[in-house]
Amino acid sequence: MASEKSTEGGPVTQVGEGQEAEEAATPPVLTVGAPRVGEVLADRYELAEHINDDAAGRQVWQGVDVVLRRPVAVVLRYPGGDSAQEMLQAAVTASRVIHPNLAGVYDAIDEETRAYVVREWIDGEALRELVVEEPLDAERATSIAHAVASAVAAVHATGMVHGNVHPGTVMVADDGRVVLADARATEGDTPDTDVRAIGGILYFALTGHWPHTEVGPSSLPDAVRDGSGAIAAPRMVRAGVPAYLDDLTMDLLDERLALPSADVLAAELDRLDVAADEPFIVDAGPLRFSATEDGLPEQPPATRRKLIIGVASLLVIATVGLLLGISVLADRGDSDNGATPGPGAAATATSDPTGQATAPAAPKAVPLSRDQVRIVDPDGDRRELGDAALMVDGKRDTAWESDSYKNLPFGDKSGMGVLIKLPEPTDVSSVQVNLSATGASAAVFTGEGDTGSTRAGDRKIIADYKNRIGEPIENHEATTLTFQGFLPDQKHQYLLIWFTKLPTTSEGKLRLEIQEITVQARG
């Protein structure tokens, strides 16, 4: 969500600006029957303070979850019902992605007369407020853009689009954490929409101007433009912007250039966090607009971007080169001591017949059917093997359930698992598991084949599946577990999700309930 900090001078920002700020008409703010301080919603969320009203007429409150005793933000919309479905669906979608740079979504409730979303409370301010006094320095702008790109990459890894990357939805917490909130993808949004918006975040952080024209009472200052409407480069707006950051920002905003994927951009921004200290960075002087024969702005020779190659090819080549180096070292280590290769993830690029690099395709969900999943339970009494199909039926309101156990981590067992057989060897990018409760510990392993659904077969699975992907997730504080770290071009057909600690359900029982499993493959 956007900033929730208030000051003596009044609210500092609004929630959900982004696309909604561009709408010509906004619903009126409710004045009759409005919520009041101390009111408890859904017998759980107590309203403490009205913070502000957003650009779409929704009320933003600070509240308290009286069950978990933690602060929350409550965004109320009047009325509920059909007109609130877009807001509620966006919240449900966002709740499925867990990432340190994404605001957590806790609840979404429709009461017909009103609807509300309960989200993580952020002590801090939105980027749009942070830049009010003066633009940010290059180091901080790069760091914020890196965090946003990492959050967007996590969203894209699930096959979803954020659709609302905007200075009003990028929060900077008092402790320095950068959080992206208020996902609101529409039918026309694509992964490229998000990546180009990250270029807008960089531009805004460096200049205090927004390069994507907005209308409405909460619109941001428009970018400085020349007579043809082309935006001025950051270095033309203010002094001190490094040439490499100026070029990257303008490349991301240039619709003529191929865009990198969000994860590749995040890797490049991570590298640029320290680029200002590197001796090979040359200050090439300010960029100036001058008309060329085709009417496009011409750049000075020292900083002219090669339109045929584009920034995507440069970033992808750097990332793939790093990946190959890591892979060679890991393989060398394997030959020495038999160790499992370290986890890693990177995007790959393809080339068209002209040799031009193109950005990698977005991940795609791998269809899973009931005969492709089964329970692995080497230490159990074999009573919990049924209903595995509920994990891949596409419904979050159904779930496979284990028995209830009396003690952690998993009763008297070493654990339980789910074996997935993909239709064919697949270049997997991520595995996501939706649970009904928090506190689980799990890891993902790969192996070859299925030795059969018997106790002996399950024990052989545990013995043979030693190639762990990424790091294990321990005592996870959310209900969605996302496993990444699959190396590109290493195809897998069999995956084992192995749970070693039970969550505690809302009834206080120790039980594993798996609502849905999603496997994403690289496009």
Side-chain angles (χ1 to χ4, degrees):
M1 69 210 77
S3 175
E4 282 94 31
K5 181 188 289 183
S6 60
T7 66
E8 293 180 359
V12 294
T13 191
Q14 299 173 342
V15 170
E17 295 178 272
Q19 294 180 13
E20 290 178 307
E22 301 173 16
E23 298 176 1
T26 58
V29 177
L30 183 75
T31 57
V32 178
R36 64 187 185 280
V37 173
E39 182 177 356
V40 179
L41 308 181
D43 296 325
R44 179 165 185 171
Y45 307 109
E46 181 179 354
L47 300 180
E49 180 184 1
H50 179 209
I51 301 302
N52 56 24
D53 301 313
D54 75 4
R58 299 176 302 186
Q59 293 194 4
V60 183
W61 286 73
Q62 181 183 14
V64 176
D65 182 336
V66 298
V67 175
L68 298 180
R69 305 306 304 172
R70 64 180 175 184
V72 295
V74 182
V75 183
L76 292 114
R77 185 195 190 283
Y78 291 82
D82 293 340
S83 61
Q85 287 307 303
E86 181 180 342
M87 180 186 81
L88 296 172
Q89 184 56 51
V92 171
T93 299
S95 70
R96 298 173 182 170
V97 187
I98 306 300
H99 190 274
N101 299 119
L102 287 170
V105 178
Y106 304 143
D107 218 337
I109 298 173
D110 184 6
E111 295 181 350
E112 294 299 332
T113 57
R114 65 183 176 186
Y116 45 93
V117 173
V118 182
R119 303 182 182 182
E120 177 184 4
W121 175 265
I122 305 296
D123 281 319
E125 55 188 336
L127 179 63
R128 70 174 299 155
E129 302 299 333
L130 193 64
V131 183
V132 165
E133 295 184 0
E134 62 179 349
L136 306 182
D137 58 44
E139 181 180 0
R140 195 170 190 194
T142 302
S143 178
I144 289 174
H146 173 220
V148 174
S150 298
V152 169
V155 173
H156 290 184
T158 67
M160 297 184 291
V161 176
H162 188 278
N164 200 16
V165 179
H166 182 274
T169 60
V170 174
M171 284 292 302
V172 181
D174 292 340
D175 61 3
R177 177 185 170 211
V178 178
V179 182
L180 178 63
D182 200 23
R184 188 178 178 271
T186 61
E187 185 176 351
D189 289 318
T190 66
D192 278 0
T193 305
D194 287 343
V195 173
R196 206 170 297 283
I198 297 172
I201 293 296
L202 262 176
Y203 191 95
F204 180 78
L206 292 169
T207 68
H209 295 271
W210 184 237
H212 307 297
T213 304
E214 292 183 344
V215 296
S218 63
S219 60
L220 297 171
D222 189 23
V224 177
R225 301 178 185 271
D226 69 0
S228 67
I231 62 174
R235 298 182 68 190
M236 296 181 63
V237 179
R238 60 172 292 204
V241 178
Y244 67 89
L245 194 56
D246 186 282
D247 283 347
L248 175 59
T249 302
M250 294 302 288
D251 284 342
L252 292 172
L253 296 174
D254 192 337
E255 295 184 357
R256 302 167 298 180
L257 300 182
L259 288 171
S261 62
D263 57 344
V264 170
L265 176 59
E268 176 67 1
L269 288 167
D270 184 33
R271 184 184 71 83
L272 293 181
D273 263 343
V274 294
D277 298 328
E278 297 179 4
F280 59 81
I281 298 297
V282 178
D283 189 340
L287 301 182
R288 294 180 175 85
F289 288 102
S290 61
T292 61
E293 293 182 359
D294 58 4
L296 298 176
E298 181 181 11
Q299 308 298 338
T303 59
R304 183 179 295 120
R305 294 178 293 278
K306 301 180 182 298
L307 299 181
I308 296 178
I309 299 176
V311 67
S313 61
L314 299 177
L315 300 185
V316 170
I317 289 171
T319 304
V320 172
L322 177 62
L323 173 66
L324 291 175
I326 294 174
S327 177
V328 168
L329 292 176
D331 290 341
R332 183 176 299 171
D334 291 346
S335 62
D336 293 339
N337 53 33
T340 300
T348 58
T350 58
S351 298
D352 63 20
T354 67
Q356 178 177 349
T358 59
K364 298 180 180 178
V366 179
L368 296 176
S369 60
R370 60 185 306 144
D371 59 347
Q372 291 174 247
V373 293
R374 75 172 183 85
I375 304 300
V376 175
D377 187 16
D379 304 323
D381 54 15
R382 320 299 288 171
R383 296 185 308 174
E384 303 165 79
L385 306 185
D387 297 328
L390 296 178
M391 297 183 290
V392 293
D393 63 357
K395 301 176 182 178
R396 290 289 298 274
D397 57 351
T398 62
W400 170 84
E401 298 182 6
S402 74
D403 288 342
S404 295
Y405 293 81
K406 295 182 178 180
N407 57 300
L408 291 172
F410 218 122
D412 298 327
K413 298 182 180 182
S414 60
M416 290 183 69
V418 179
L419 184 66
I420 303 172
K421 178 184 178 182
L422 301 177
E424 59 185 3
T426 302
D427 189 356
V428 178
S429 65
S430 67
V431 175
Q432 186 179 82
V433 185
N434 297 115
L435 307 178
S436 62
T438 62
S441 296
V444 169
F445 299 83
T446 63
E448 300 293 334
D450 183 359
T451 51
S453 183
T454 63
R455 186 175 283 104
D458 285 357
R459 287 173 179 167
K460 184 166 178 55
I461 288 289
I462 301 304
D464 293 346
Y465 280 57
K466 296 298 185 183
N467 181 29
R468 192 186 71 209
I469 301 298
E471 294 300 319
I473 295 177
E474 303 287 349
N475 301 311
H476 199 47
E477 296 180 354
T479 57
T480 300
L481 284 63
T482 301
F483 300 92
Q484 296 175 310
F486 292 85
L487 293 175
D489 299 325
Q490 291 192 4
K491 296 186 176 182
H492 306 283
Q493 188 168 10
Y494 291 88
L495 307 173
L496 175 65
I497 308 171
W498 183 247
F499 291 88
T500 54
K501 182 175 181 294
L502 290 162
T504 302
T505 68
S506 57
E507 298 87 8
K509 297 181 179 180
L510 303 176
R511 185 171 64 226
L512 180 62
E513 298 180 5
I514 303 177
Q515 297 171 333
E516 200 68 24
I517 296 176
T518 304
V519 177
Q520 294 279 342
R522 292 183 175 87

